Amino acid sequence: MIRLLIADDHPIVRDGIRGMFAGDPDFEVLGEAGDGARAVELARMLDPDVILMDLRMPKTDGVTAIKELVRLGVRARVLVLTTYDTDKDVLPAIEAGATGYLLKDTQRDDLIRAVRTAAQGEAVLSPSVATRLMGQVRAPADPLSARELEILELVAAGTTNREVAARLFISEATVKTHLLHIYAKLEVNDRAAAVATAIRRGLLQ
């Protein structure tokens, strides 16, 4: 029997996940948590085999919870089950120690197979996430620096180079230099394309 813990801040989602495993003698849902901190607490108390973990939750998010579970040496495998598949969601979760990453539109049979796979310690990824990670491996992107992201956020808000310079207390020439670096890293030629590419990659909301 595979013992499960469900962590999601939406009760209706938790009910739906619990219902998927109800009646199957191979699974037992030990408990539910509405945020990451509670998930860590219950994982230590109940010792599940697999934790189905949402990422964006109040108080303590999923990635923070995964890191804490690893730090505490909790043996449970974490299978992320979320709506989001952008780089800024997928990569931190995998790096934190998640065994798998699925999206909430996953079919019931696929989810059950994924839980079985995760319980055995094997990685499992939704097709879109696998494609995204393969793209990272084949063509690793040069990450934008914190300053470059800050400038790109201002550009996305319609701020001019002069306004960016004034707001960040740097010269307009420095802003232009940063933009050139951003264009090169994102492989684009102008401001609009930079913003569009950054949004598509999940670098900007």
Side-chain angles (χ1 to χ4, degrees):
M1 179 179 288
I2 298 174
R3 294 148 48 91
L4 302 175
L5 175 64
I6 302 168
D8 194 290
D9 60 323
H10 294 102
I12 192 169
V13 173
R14 297 198 302 269
D15 289 345
I17 296 172
R18 180 184 283 274
M20 289 184 179
F21 294 94
D24 191 322
D26 292 341
F27 298 94
E28 179 185 5
V29 177
L30 300 178
E32 302 176 10
D35 64 78
R38 181 60 175 163
V40 172
E41 181 182 351
L42 289 178
R44 298 183 70 186
M45 291 172 52
L46 302 175
D47 189 32
D49 300 305
V50 176
I51 302 172
L52 292 168
M53 181 82 74
D54 192 14
L55 288 184
R56 301 189 186 181
M57 296 182 287
K59 299 180 182 178
T60 303
D61 62 82
V63 170
T64 301
I66 294 169
K67 290 178 180 178
E68 183 66 6
L69 289 166
V70 171
R71 187 187 72 80
L72 293 171
V74 175
R75 71 173 189 88
R77 308 291 184 176
V78 178
L79 180 56
V80 171
L81 187 61
T82 185
T83 307
Y84 307 97
D85 67 346
T86 64
D87 289 348
K88 72 174 186 177
D89 292 302
V90 175
L91 298 178
I94 299 299
E95 290 169 354
T99 299
Y101 198 111
L102 296 179
L103 300 182
K104 287 182 178 176
D105 60 0
T106 301
Q107 297 297 311
R108 176 183 181 277
D109 290 347
D110 293 333
L111 177 59
I112 288 176
R113 278 194 295 269
V115 170
R116 294 185 192 278
T117 300
Q120 296 170 1
E122 299 177 17
V124 55
L125 302 170
S126 68
S128 66
V129 171
T131 299
R132 184 176 293 280
L133 290 178
M134 285 297 292
Q136 289 283 333
V137 172
R138 290 172 178 167
D142 191 5
L144 299 184
S145 68
R147 175 63 90 183
E148 288 165 349
L149 279 173
E150 190 175 20
I151 289 173
L152 193 54
E153 287 173 352
L154 291 172
V155 168
T159 311
T160 66
N161 287 359
R162 179 174 296 180
E163 291 168 339
V164 172
R167 187 168 302 186
L168 300 181
F169 303 102
I170 57 179
S171 70
E172 195 169 345
T174 299
V175 173
K176 291 179 179 178
T177 299
H178 279 305
L179 284 173
L180 289 175
H181 291 161
I182 291 169
Y183 297 165
K185 290 180 178 181
L186 298 181
E187 299 180 341
V188 298
N189 298 314
D190 57 46
R191 295 161 68 95
V195 170
T197 299
I199 291 173
R200 187 172 66 252
R201 293 186 183 181
L203 300 175
L204 297 177
Q205 292 292 336

